[in-house]
């Protein structure tokens, strides 16, 4: 699968998600889509990021924008994470890294001196026609959801 490029159409993909759904990007045409990739359910930064998007959901809804979170966690972990924090959006399980590879978010990371391949916290804003309009890579959580909201307002 090719990697997405700014101001270009995003190729269709499908992946399993919470709520016993299969998310297909093509099914979301006509709405703006925010896809945010995060490393792991129930970790401090990932929890805060999800809560920040949750807390701005009314504003995103008003702009006809769908939020989708993506990590390599399984659906059971996603369902628990989503319920625990009352996320009003779905979480995609990308255990085989298909969607992660599509958006090129798997990077070499370091933790306590060990190197490993993991998700680089990243967010992508796709407009109603399926065009990638903005991307954020190596995201810092604080203030990020507000940045994405502002970019969505400017579409």
């Amino acid at each position: 699968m090719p990697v997405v490029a700014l101001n270009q159409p995003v190729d269709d993909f499908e992946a399993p998600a919470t709520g016993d759904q299969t998310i297909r990007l093509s099914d979301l045409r006509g709405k703006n889509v925010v896809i945010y990739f995060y490393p792991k359910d129930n970790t401090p930064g990932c929890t805060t990021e999800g809560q920040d998007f949750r807390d701005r959901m009314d504003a995103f809804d008003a702009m006809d924008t769908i939020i989708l979170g993506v990590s390599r966690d399984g659906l059971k972990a996603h369902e628990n994470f989503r319920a625990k924090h009352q996320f009003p959006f779905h979480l995609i399980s990308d255990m085989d890294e298909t969607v992660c590879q599509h958006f090129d978010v798997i990077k070499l990371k370091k933790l306590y001196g060990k190197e490993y391949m993991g998700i680089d916290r990243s967010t992508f804003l796709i407009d109603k026609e399926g065009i990638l309009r903005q991307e954020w890579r190596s995201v810092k959580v604080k203030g990020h959801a507000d940045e994405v909201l502002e970019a969505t307002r400017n579409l």
Side-chain angles (χ1 to χ4, degrees), residues 12-33:
D12 199 18
F13 66 82
E14 71 175 47
T18 51
D20 203 25
Q21 293 194 33
T22 298
I23 300 289
R24 282 179 202 79
L25 187 60
S26 58
D27 291 345
L28 305 176
R29 284 277 158 78
K31 295 185 180 290
N32 299 311
V33 180

Side-chain angles (χ1 to χ4, degrees), residues 27-139:
D27 291 345
L28 305 176
R29 284 277 158 78
K31 295 185 180 290
N32 299 311
V33 180
V34 170
I35 301 176
Y36 78 95
F37 290 83
Y38 64 96
K40 185 133 184 71
D41 290 345
N42 288 306
T43 56
C46 300
T47 299
T48 299
E49 185 175 25
Q51 290 169 337
D52 288 350
F53 279 114
R54 175 199 66 199
D55 295 347
R56 288 151 185 80
M57 213 48 227
D58 287 345
F60 281 110
D61 282 344
M63 292 181 288
D64 217 11
T65 302
I66 292 171
I67 307 290
L68 295 169
V70 182
S71 83
R72 299 182 298 184
D73 293 296
L75 285 173
K76 187 171 196 276
H78 274 352
E79 291 289 2
N80 292 337
F81 186 45
R82 184 175 180 234
K84 181 177 180 180
H85 298 287
Q86 300 175 321
F87 295 153
F89 48 82
H90 288 286
L91 302 175
I92 291 174
S93 173
D94 192 31
M95 293 176 77
D96 65 0
E97 299 179 359
T98 302
V99 182
C100 290
Q101 297 291 345
H102 187 63
F103 285 87
D104 192 29
V105 299
I106 300 293
K107 303 291 180 193
L108 184 64
K109 299 175 87 174
K110 289 184 182 180
L111 183 65
Y112 304 119
K114 288 189 174 187
E115 291 185 339
Y116 65 98
M117 298 303 285
I119 291 179
D120 179 42
R121 191 182 307 277
S122 305
T123 302
F124 300 85
L125 175 59
I126 302 166
D127 72 11
K128 293 178 179 186
E129 285 77 47
I131 307 295
L132 179 63
R133 292 301 178 192
Q134 194 149 351
E135 64 180 23
W136 295 262
R137 295 190 180 265
S138 299
V139 165

